[in-house]
Amino acid sequence: MPPRLRLIATLSLSQILGWGTTFDMPGVFGRMIAAELSMANETAFAGLTVMMLVTAFAGPTTGRLVERLGAARVLACGSALFGLGLLLMAAATGPILYFAAWLVIGFGSAFGLSVPCYAAVVEREGPDAKRAIGILMIFTGLSATVCWPLLSLGQDWFGWRWTLAVSALIHIGALVPLHLFGLPAIRGATAEATAASQEEPLAFSPAQAKRALLLIAIVSIAFNLVTTGIAPSLIELITQAGATPELALQLGALRSVFGISARAIDTVAGRRASPLFTGYAAAILMLAALPILAFSGGEPWLLLAFVACYGFGSGVSALSRALLPLGFFSPGRYARISANLSLPANLAMAAAPVVSTFLLDRGGATALLVYCAGLCLITLAALAGLSLIRRQVR
């Protein structure tokens, strides 16, 4: 198998299962676990907050470990921690062990998702990493589409506890060795490759570089608040809009299909579509989705239109978040800048599920939609600021 194909295939599988059995999992099991452990729904979803808080504060450590040990070993450690955390959750009888499980999963997320995954690509692809990351994200967006039906099937057959236990064994028994032995070797650096990786796409002044980093951080934060806020509650949100539980599950699973399609289109047009254009498209699509849901009246075709707009928008927003640093800074600085951005971005991901669940349960769908509309407008303003800086430099 060609090295690039093996790289993308290995990381795609690990990211699908990594996201699907952890961050996406409460979308299917969250309210079941809350009922069985006698917790409020927002308390159960606060496990995602614990996960993302740990991920955020472990970010700088992750960067140092990747530099010292290489991304493959860090990813293997992440899979082992995922397995341990899921086993703890399967055994939970109350909030203490439940949140201890999310604490372990949080470290697994820091070592097994996103930053070390993209660092593994940059290690092996260098200046060509942008396109490889785009292709990888096409497949990793399948996490909910693949895992939600499988988790639901596991619940029907075995219950949520045994389903989590089986997921843990997959992480430990399959993904740990896959990361250690399945990734292609890192190619030796050449003088030309090293020079290309250090070439800056824009001649920033120090002040402009700081403003660009700040605005990229705002884009990442706002996108994370919208996408990771809505995603775990998407089925409930569609149900409150008038869908049956079966239709809500089907539409919720389609969200990732639309996201994958959007990423594929963006990747194919990658030489013409900049990360800034991708960001504008994502924000506009998600903003357009909100009134469609608000005025859907439970009509299936309008609910489908909402999921399509939201799915397309959330799909390309992930590409924009990952690739914006490469659009403004050199590939050689990508890992360091991504590590710096991961702290505020992951803090936003930590807060998003609890805030969104609270708004949905206490204020209904309207409160959540107004909140998300405000975040989309903030994103558009930050992207406009980045466009202005780009024009000033050029």
Side-chain angles (χ1 to χ4, degrees), residues 153-249:
L153 188 63
Q155 161 64 22
D156 293 339
W157 285 1
F158 312 114
W160 64 267
R161 292 183 185 275
W162 278 107
T163 303
L164 292 182
V166 171
S167 301
L169 294 178
I170 292 172
H171 280 286
I172 296 171
L175 295 184
V176 169
L178 187 65
H179 285 135
L180 291 175
F181 307 112
L183 289 172
I186 299 174
R187 294 177 296 183
T190 64
E192 293 81 2
T194 301
S197 71
Q198 299 301 325
E199 183 179 352
E200 296 290 346
L202 296 170
F204 281 130
S205 68
Q208 288 171 327
K210 289 181 181 178
R211 287 199 299 272
L213 278 174
L214 175 61
L215 291 171
I216 291 173
I218 291 172
V219 171
S220 297
I221 291 168
F223 271 148
N224 280 340
L225 286 172
V226 175
T227 58
T228 60
I230 290 180
S233 297
L234 183 60
I235 294 175
E236 179 66 19
L237 183 63
I238 298 172
T239 302
Q240 287 195 19
T244 64
E246 293 78 11
L247 177 60
L249 179 62

Side-chain angles (χ1 to χ4, degrees), residues 344-367:
N346 284 325
L347 287 175
M349 291 181 73
V354 173
V355 173
S356 295
T357 303
F358 177 82
L359 289 172
L360 185 59
D361 287 356
R362 299 292 189 270
T366 301

Side-chain angles (χ1 to χ4, degrees), residues 285-300:
L285 281 168
M286 288 193 290
L287 184 61
L290 305 177
I292 293 175
L293 181 68
F295 298 105
S296 67
E299 288 290 334

Side-chain angles (χ1 to χ4, degrees), residues 4 8 127-136 267-271 323:
R4 176 175 290 184
I8 293 172
D128 298 327
K130 178 179 177 180
R131 188 163 183 82
I133 289 173
I135 296 171
L136 172 64
T267 299
V268 170
R271 296 186 178 183
L323 298 179

